[in-house]
Structure formats: C-alpha cells, structure tokens
Amino acid sequence: MRTRASSAFPVGLYGVMLLALCALALPRSFAPIERLLLGAASMPLRAFAAVAGVPASADSGMAAAVQSLQQRLAVRVHAQVTAGGKRLLASQVSPLVCAVVAGERKGGGGLPCELRLQRCYRDLRDCLPLVTSGDALVGFLARPGEGPAARDRDTDPALVLLLNHPDAHAVAAQLQLDGGNAPLHLVVEAAAAVDPAPLRTALWDDPYRASRLQQGGLEVRSAALPAAPWACFVPDGLLLGHARVWGYTHAGATLTIGVYVDAPFDSRALSHVALWRADDELPGAPVPATGSVPAVLWPLPGGDAGRSHLTASLLRPLPDGAAVVQDGICFGTVRALAFGQGLVTSFAASRRRWALLLLPDDGEQPPQELVGEVAFQDHGTACVRLSGSSLPQKGYLFTGSNGLCCPPGLLLGRAEPDADSGLLRVVAHQLSGPSAVEVVVPAEDHL
Amino acid sequence: MSWLCWFLLVPLLFLGEGLLREVGLPPLDTAALLCLFLALFARASALPGLVLGAALGRALVDDACLPVQVLVLAVPVALLLPLRTLFFRQRWLWQGAAAAFAALAIPKLAGLCGTLFDQPSAGAELDGVRVAVAAVGLPPLLLLLRRVPPLQPFTEAMP
C-alpha cells in the first residue's frame, strides 16, 4: 500500500525537481555545489589521469602558421576598425584598437548595450570618451566610479556604453535625404528594450517632412553642435545607423508613426573597437587582461561527441567558459569543476551562441564579425548557422568576443560557406588522444 | 556502500555508452535505460538520490548544467511512475513502449530546457535509430543489469 502511494505521488522526486528549478533560477548560488558534485563524480577520471601520466608536449608545427594568420588578422582588423575614424576626428589624435571581451546587459532593441574591453581603465585614461568602429560611432567610454561603472576599479576591464544604453548621451544627428533635399536634423537616443531597433529618434527640426518619410535605410550621421556642452565631443559625420520607418503601409504609402535607427553593426558580434588619444600621449604598457595555465585534455569515450575531461592544478580554480587552447588554436570551452578539473566541449559539439571573426582569403576584403551557433557536426566539421548576416566568403574562422577568458583572435578552423544549406562549414582541428593544452584565465590568476 | 557504488559506477555507464559507440555497436541510450529502471523497478524512497547520480553521469557527457540534467531525467520518471503497477512484471511490450517514451522525452526535454534556461546542448537532438534501439534493446538489457550492482541494491522487491 505504502509502495503504491509513494509510486503515485513521489514526494522526494518532486522535491528534487523543485530544487533543480531553484538552481536554474539562482545559478550563481548553486554553481559551487554543482562544481563540487561534478568534481567528485569526475574523481575516477582524475585518478586515471594521474596514473596514466602526462602526455609529451611536442611541437605540432602549427604554432608558426597560426601565429602568421593571427598577425594577418590583427593587421586587417586594425585597418578596418580605424578606417574612417581618423578622417572624421581631429588630426591630432591617433587610434588605439581594443579587443572586446564581452557584451553585457540588454538595452535598446533588446540588444547588448555595454561592452567590456580587454584593456583596463588605467590603460585608457588618456583616451577621448568616443569609441568607434570604422566610421561608425559605437558608444562612449565609461569612467570608473561613475554611473554604470560606479563599482569598477581603475584596474578593471573598461566599460563602453553603447548608444542604446539608457545612460548613454543622446547624439545630435542628421538624416541624409535622397534627391538633393536638405538633410533633416534630429536627436538619436537609446530606444526601449521592447522597441524594434536599438535607437530611436526625437526632436526633429522639421517634423512635417519627417512624417512624410516613406523609405528606410537612409544614413543617419552625427552632427556637431558646438553650442551644446554635452555634444561638443561628437564630431560631424560619424555613422550612427540607418533609419527604419515604423508605421502602417497601405496602397504603397506609409503612415509613419515613428522612425528608429538600426545600428550599423551587430553589438553581439563586435570584436574590436577603436579608441582615440592625443598624438603627444605615449601609450603606457598595457596591463595584461588574461594569462594561461597548463592543463591536460583527455578525450572522453565517444570522441565524436566532442567532450573531454581536463585536469589542471588542484590549487587553481578554472573559470567557466574559458577557452582551451593549443598553439593558438581554440578547441572549445571549459566547464569548471572542483579539484582542478574541467569538462571541455569542443567548438563543433557546442550548441551555444558564438561571436566569431572571419578572415576572408581575399586580402581586399575586411574581416567579418559574425554571430552564430553550431547546428550540427558532420565528421568533425561544424555546421554553423549564422544569425543576422549573409554567408561570408571562405576563409579562416577565429573566436570573437565570448567573454574575458575566450578573447577574440583564437583560431577555430577553416570555414567555407555552403550555399545549399545556408550554413558555414568549419573544419575544426581535432585532438587525438591526451594532449597538453592551456586554459585562458584572468590575469590575476596567471602564474 | 550501495550508494557509493551508484555514484561511482553510474557516471561510468554514460562513458561506457561512448565506448560502445566507438567500437561500432548500435547507439545505446543510457539515460533512457536509467529512466526505465527508476520509473519501473527502483525503490521509490531512493529516487531523489538515484536521479541525482544519474544526472551527474549525464552531465559528464552533455553540455547542459546539472539542474537541467535532473529535470530531463526526473520528468519522464515522474510521468511513468504512477504506471508502475501496470508495468511491474516483465511485460515486454509495455517496457518497450516506456523505453521508447523515455528515449523520445529526454532529448525533447533537453531541447525545451535548453531554450527556456539558455542551456543548449547536443543531447537535444532526436535520433530515430536511438529510439528504436531503446524500445527493442533496453528491456532485456535492464533485466540483466537489475541483477548486478549498481542497480541491484536499489531494485524494489516483487510483492
């Protein structure tokens, strides 16, 4: 009877499910417990790794080739990110290209509205507050201890407020009309999270002409307003985005009820931005944001599943989501466990969203910033579904901004577009057997 | 001792599944196997701990976090548990149907949890061959495994 009752209403089982839901609602509180439990369950693997010894680390021969690719990427990224900005900004400033490590907090249009840079505030204290990419205005550099960066210290990674951040400055702008018509002047500011675009418009100088706008896609550029103290540092001509006319369409005519502005970049994909400092300021030595710790990767049985067990020093906790790297090639990211262990999911086996950076084979083409996720893997080839962008050319695929410990510029593999399936096929480098690797960790953990 | 055995050996069962796949055997669904055992044969009072052990094992081979693994395994068990009185004896057809249900429900739930809690994983991919193998192969395999540790100490005695 008791068995029947407990079978019909298993209180303990329901309790475990409730606890699991609580853990999903408060992941940070339960993460240490999960690390400990999984670490304990993985101890037989650690014991096996200890008995099996350490794999000999031999030169794979890839390091030089990967380094050469990374240098090519860096040169072309620098050219792309600084192009346009130099022309539009005062001649006495020079660019400083910074890698983006993460996009945080949802802002206008439901897109990330804050970026964390690989450099700390101290490195950037002489820079103008403007942050650009190409000829586009990305946002404004925050100051530590102020506003959204109130809790940040001077040595923390710098925060950039994108234009769709609620605390970002509104920018005076002009909308270039076709057919030689005089431009419309307006103010561009952050939209709400539920709005269809990250930026919205306000304070048109000619609301009547604005309400007659029939087509989107027109360029919206900054307009210098020397009289406005908050606007004086935004120069003329920086691209803010493209207009999106929002309204009702009937019989070929649009009844405009609002004009939004689509940003010229995908803030989830931004991997590098340009900051600007006076020519006479000598850049100080940058404080390294990340280091690496040695580890050994043991592929788990069923190698096509792309899971591996990682053993590192017992005393060094690994960060979640850190890149696992060998000779500049990123194999995947680690889920940290207790007792110096981790579980690694290869890029091809992962189903999370990745920010990516593609270096096209065509030397004339700029690197492309992409966002995508692996739809499936086919014999070691990752088939990546891109979101919000068309298929790029063939080239080499690198990591974009996927967190502090998975920085931009780590090689993922050779990428070729597959027009039939609409997927990007990436041939990722495979590890056979146990391998000596490095795990990217925050700088303070660096030995 | 039986609990230690469960927490040590069940994760290895999941790793063994990969090993079998490597040698070319049909894809065996360890998660469905454990679901079937927990729903039809395990002591109801031990279910919370047994589910946790199984979830730990699945978390070794799947990218989603431990709470998602708990939900993915516990929900089919909770659904099948009230039907235990029907399935308790060796009724192969029913057991096969329950195994197929578990093999279908686990990836579907993994996909749902992945979407809801931003925990995507490759375990959410449904494989028809896997479901068929589960329906045909899991009941006889479970008949054998119920007689040896780590499953044997937690098998409910027949009335």
Side-chain angles (χ1 to χ4, degrees):
Chain A
M1 194 65 191
R2 204 173 132 225
T3 305
R4 284 193 175 198
S6 59
S7 295
F9 193 76
V11 179
L13 189 64
Y14 294 157
V16 167
M17 288 159 68
L18 191 63
L19 199 64
L21 284 172
C22 292
L24 286 166
L26 301 165
R28 286 194 180 184
S29 310
F30 283 83
I33 302 170
E34 183 181 348
R35 281 182 179 215
L36 191 67
L37 288 173
L38 273 171
S42 305
M43 280 310 274
L45 301 174
R46 178 154 192 123
F48 171 75
V51 173
V54 179
S57 59
D59 183 8
S60 65
M62 300 283 287
V66 173
Q67 205 173 10
S68 160
L69 278 174
Q70 286 173 327
Q71 282 168 357
R72 273 168 54 193
L73 178 74
V75 168
R76 282 161 68 178
V77 162
H78 191 279
Q80 184 202 13
V81 170
T82 58
K86 184 76 180 167
R87 176 168 47 85
L88 295 165
L89 290 160
S91 57
Q92 302 87 359
V93 293
S94 54
L96 180 69
V97 174
C98 270
V100 176
V101 291
E104 300 170 353
R105 191 180 161 182
K106 294 277 167 65
L111 293 169
C113 65
E114 294 179 353
L115 300 179
R116 283 280 170 190
L117 303 183
Q118 207 170 25
R119 287 179 177 245
C120 66
Y121 291 105
R122 199 171 63 195
D123 285 351
L124 306 174
R125 66 181 150 210
D126 302 322
C127 291
L128 298 178
L130 285 179
V131 181
T132 64
S133 175
D135 66 344
L137 178 63
V138 171
F140 303 98
L141 187 63
R143 292 182 185 282
E146 293 178 17
R151 290 183 178 179
D152 288 358
R153 294 165 302 166
D154 216 24
T155 49
D156 287 334
L159 181 74
V160 173
L161 308 183
L162 301 185
L163 296 181
N164 64 335
H165 193 287
D167 292 342
H169 299 286
V171 179
Q174 54 186 351
L175 189 144
Q176 300 292 338
L177 296 172
D178 293 339
N181 292 317
L184 285 166
H185 289 88
L186 62 148
V187 167
V188 172
E189 60 189 11
V194 293
D195 281 337
L199 304 171
R200 67 181 171 206
T201 59
L203 300 175
W204 293 84
D205 64 341
D206 190 340
Y208 176 74
R209 279 204 298 151
S211 70
R212 304 291 295 166
L213 283 174
Q214 292 292 309
Q215 61 176 80
L218 298 170
E219 279 190 354
V220 180
R221 290 187 177 270
S222 62
L225 288 180
W230 50 265
C232 60
F233 57 82
V234 180
D236 220 18
L238 285 173
L239 183 64
L240 303 178
H242 297 92
R244 181 195 284 197
V245 177
W246 192 251
Y248 300 103
T249 304
H250 179 66
T254 303
L255 173 65
T256 305
I257 56 174
V259 178
Y260 291 92
V261 179
D262 282 316
F265 49 80
D266 185 342
S267 53
R268 298 168 303 172
L270 268 179
S271 66
H272 293 82
V273 292
L275 287 105
W276 300 87
R277 68 166 88 221
D279 277 337
D280 52 355
E281 296 285 352
L282 289 173
V287 178
T290 56
S292 61
V293 292
V296 180
L297 200 64
W298 299 83
L300 293 176
D304 57 338
R307 293 281 282 181
S308 306
H309 180 253
L310 182 132
T311 52
S313 165
L314 273 171
L315 304 172
R316 187 164 303 284
L318 301 172
D320 269 330
V324 177
V325 182
Q326 188 185 55
D327 293 340
I329 302 170
C330 176
F331 288 102
T333 53
V334 68
R335 176 187 290 273
L337 310 181
F339 314 117
Q341 304 172 90
L343 286 167
V344 177
T345 306
S346 69
F347 170 70
S350 70
R351 295 295 178 271
R352 51 164 277 200
R353 197 174 64 206
W354 286 81
L356 304 163
L357 194 53
L358 185 111
L359 178 71
D361 288 343
D362 182 356
E364 300 298 312
Q365 294 295 320
Q368 278 182 272
E369 291 167 328
L370 309 164
V371 177
E373 56 194 28
V374 179
F376 59 91
Q377 62 168 325
D378 179 19
H379 298 100
T381 301
C383 298
V384 180
R385 183 177 293 119
L386 300 174
S387 51
S389 54
S390 54
L391 275 180
Q393 296 182 348
K394 63 172 80 168
Y396 288 94
L397 196 67
F398 294 83
T399 53
S401 54
N402 294 290
L404 179 65
C405 295
C406 189
L410 301 172
L411 182 66
L412 287 168
R414 174 91 185 138
E416 287 195 21
D418 182 354
D420 295 335
S421 61
L423 300 171
L424 188 66
R425 296 178 71 85
V426 183
V427 181
H429 191 71
Q430 301 281 326
L431 283 178
S432 55
S435 308
V437 294
E438 291 184 324
V439 182
V440 180
V441 293
E444 56 262 36
D445 291 345
H446 189 207
L447 272 175
Chain B
M1 189 61 193
S2 51
W3 280 109
L4 184 68
C5 206
W6 179 265
F7 280 96
L8 273 178
L9 295 183
V10 164
L12 297 184
L13 272 182
F14 281 91
L15 299 179
E17 176 189 332
L19 209 59
L20 292 179
R21 205 167 50 236
E22 271 186 359
V23 298
L25 289 176
L28 195 69
D29 195 334
T30 311
L33 176 83
L34 290 172
C35 266
L36 196 63
F37 171 70
L38 296 176
L40 305 185
F41 301 103
R43 283 203 321 259
S45 59
L47 278 179
L50 297 179
V51 166
L52 182 64
L56 282 171
R58 194 166 189 267
L60 291 185
V61 295
D62 189 78
D63 207 13
C65 66
L66 184 61
V68 166
Q69 308 295 357
V70 169
L71 285 178
V72 160
L73 293 172
V75 170
V77 173
L79 290 175
L80 288 172
L81 203 59
L83 306 175
R84 179 181 277 206
T85 45
L86 289 177
F87 299 144
F88 201 88
R89 290 175 207 286
Q90 285 295 337
R91 293 176 182 171
W92 295 104
L93 190 65
W94 290 114
Q95 283 190 37
F101 168 75
L104 269 170
I106 288 168
K108 287 288 175 193
L109 279 168
L112 183 69
C113 290
T115 311
L116 285 177
F117 304 112
D118 195 21
Q119 295 278 336
S121 73
E125 287 161 15
L126 189 62
D127 181 357
V129 178
R130 221 172 147 88
V131 176
V133 170
V136 175
L138 291 191
L141 182 64
L142 192 55
L143 180 66
L144 295 175
L145 289 178
R146 273 162 46 206
R147 281 153 174 71
V148 292
L151 274 60
Q152 186 263 334
F154 298 102
T155 305
E156 195 161 64
M158 289 272 204

